[in-house]
Amino acid sequence: MNRVVALWRRLPAWAVDLLAVAVAAADAWLYTTDADALTLGVCALACAALLIRRRWPLAAFALTLPAALVANILAAPVIALFALAVRTRRRWLLFVCGALFAAAEAVGWPVTTQFTVDQNWTALTFVYQLATAAAPILLGQLVQTTADLRARIAEAETTKRHERELHTQTVLARERNQLAREMHDVVSHQVSLISVQAAALQVTATDHAAREAAGSIRALSATTLEELRDMVMLLRAAGTQSPGLAPQPTASDLAALVATSGLPVEMSGELPADASPSAQRAVYRTVQEALTNARKHAPGSPISVRLWSDERTCGVTVVNGRAAEPPLRLPSARLGLLGLRERAELLGGSLRSGPTGDGFRVQLTVPRARA
């Protein structure tokens, strides 16, 4: 049964209309053998009226009543009555149309002859035909109710899905706020202490190199606090309209990054002027991560930062040499290069990293324009 219903729903509207006309024509042919021109005309009109039952169901039913009165056909008026019951919500109209159909079938043509021959039979036929009219009316109302229930179920599912999304967003917002609080309370406190101690060392130190190192530490601490503030604001604003964040770094900020790193860095080349902001940001983060790794794993080694570009891509190559001092034992989650690789893949580029000679090499390649 379900397969039959599914197959019926897959049929195009024009095929269903032609099938309805064919059924009505077959029914009329059975009732109009050796019929006159009037009977043939009203039957043809009734069959043709079924083609407009989707747009004008009431007019289509009205055009089938003459055939029901003259030729006593059933298929055309029953199909038109069903189409009207599916599309209207006025119960009184359906009752009136059902009564008209029953009267036309019961009285017949000519009207005066039927009333004078046997009035009892006419009344009994009217009752039977009224019961016949009730079948398409009830079936059409059932189809209409089913469609309404299906629409309400779809609306309820949409509402539930929206509620689940809102609940998920609420949970994520709570987790983001908790993470933002933890970052602000823990990281900012430690970095602030580092900045204060570096400032004190910069004032009290007698050695010029120590004062420069303390100044670099203080500047890096201030930059870290600024980026931490931006990250906390971003976490708190996730899922809402952002209140406005500080501008993201671009290629023009690379010189300041290298100058404040306190490392022996030699930078060459430049990025093209038409490089997208996302490409410039990826280059900046790559240089930042490479300098951090060089400071931790190869302190004192010479570092080369080379910016390059061609017709479609641009990027940066960072190479550091052998460590001149013992490596720093700092905690690491080993996620820096992984994050850079994911960033490059999102932009349609690639990141390659690995040992080269006595040092380490990181090369980023990204499209010049946004993918």
Side-chain angles (χ1 to χ4, degrees):
M1 184 62 181
N2 294 333
R3 292 182 179 180
V4 175
V5 173
L7 181 61
W8 178 262
R9 289 179 178 175
R10 292 177 184 176
L11 289 177
W14 61 268
V16 177
D17 293 341
L18 292 180
L19 181 61
V21 172
V23 172
D27 176 66
W29 181 77
L30 293 176
Y31 282 93
T32 57
T33 304
D34 299 330
D36 55 3
L38 175 62
T39 303
L40 293 176
V42 294
C43 289
L45 178 63
C47 294
L50 297 180
L51 297 176
I52 64 172
R53 75 189 190 283
R54 297 180 185 273
R55 188 169 184 179
W56 299 292
L58 184 59
F61 173 75
L63 293 176
T64 61
L65 284 180
L69 180 65
V70 175
N72 294 113
I73 64 174
L74 290 175
V78 165
I79 294 174
L81 192 59
F82 170 76
L84 179 62
V86 171
R87 289 165 176 79
T88 186
R89 298 183 183 276
R90 293 175 289 182
R91 302 290 177 83
W92 63 268
L93 179 61
L94 295 176
F95 178 79
V96 171
C97 292
L100 291 176
F101 165 75
E105 292 287 346
V107 173
W109 186 262
V111 178
T112 55
T113 303
Q114 296 296 331
F115 272 113
T116 57
V117 173
D118 191 351
Q119 295 181 359
N120 293 331
W121 175 254
T122 301
L124 184 61
T125 305
F126 174 79
V127 174
Y128 286 152
Q129 295 300 331
L130 195 62
T132 302
I137 291 176
L138 294 177
L139 183 59
Q141 290 290 286
L142 178 61
V143 173
Q144 186 182 102
T145 303
T146 303
D148 292 342
L149 290 177
R150 189 180 296 112
R152 291 182 180 179
I153 292 174
E155 183 179 359
E157 291 178 352
T158 302
T159 303
K160 289 182 179 179
R161 184 168 58 252
H162 182 63
E163 291 177 353
R164 288 195 297 268
E165 291 176 355
L166 289 178
H167 177 70
T168 303
Q169 292 177 3
T170 302
V171 173
L172 290 177
R174 189 182 303 117
E175 293 179 352
R176 292 190 189 102
N177 289 335
Q178 182 178 359
L179 178 60
R181 286 193 299 269
E182 293 294 331
M183 291 177 61
H184 180 270
D185 295 342
V186 178
V187 181
S188 64
H189 174 70
Q190 302 294 338
V191 176
S192 298
L193 290 179
I194 294 173
S195 179
V196 171
Q197 293 179 6
L201 179 61
Q202 187 179 11
V203 174
T204 59
T206 58
D207 184 61
H208 179 70
R211 286 197 301 269
E212 288 185 353
S216 298
I217 294 175
R218 185 180 181 184
L220 290 174
S221 300
T223 304
T224 303
L225 285 175
E226 286 294 327
E227 293 189 357
L228 177 62
R229 181 185 65 84
D230 295 341
M231 184 59 65
V232 170
M233 292 177 62
L234 180 62
L235 288 173
R236 290 187 179 275
T240 62
Q241 292 185 353
S242 176
L245 303 177
Q248 294 296 310
T250 60
S252 61
D253 300 316
L254 285 173
L257 175 65
V258 170
T260 57
S261 65
L263 299 175
V265 181
E266 180 184 354
M267 189 169 66
S268 61
E270 61 181 5
L271 293 181
D274 60 346
S276 65
S278 57
Q280 297 184 42
R281 193 156 50 247
V283 170
Y284 181 91
R285 295 304 182 189
T286 301
V287 174
Q288 185 181 45
E289 179 65 22
L291 294 181
T292 301
N293 290 339
R295 182 184 294 110
K296 290 193 300 183
H297 304 294
S301 66
I303 303 173
S304 169
V305 177
R306 185 176 64 87
L307 304 174
W308 54 268
S309 65
D310 54 27
E311 294 181 356
R312 296 184 178 181
T313 61
C314 62
V316 62
T317 302
V318 183
V319 180
N320 64 268
R322 178 182 297 180
E325 302 173 5
L328 301 177
R329 297 184 179 274
L330 298 176
S332 175
R334 302 183 183 275
L335 298 178
L337 293 179
L338 178 61
L340 292 177
R341 186 172 291 107
E342 292 176 351
R343 180 193 292 266
E345 291 176 354
L346 289 175
L347 296 177
S350 62
L351 179 79
R352 297 180 180 179
S353 61
T356 172
D358 294 335
F360 196 83
R361 180 173 180 266
V362 178
Q363 179 174 341
L364 172 73
T365 302
V366 290
R368 293 173 58 167
R370 184 181 297 271

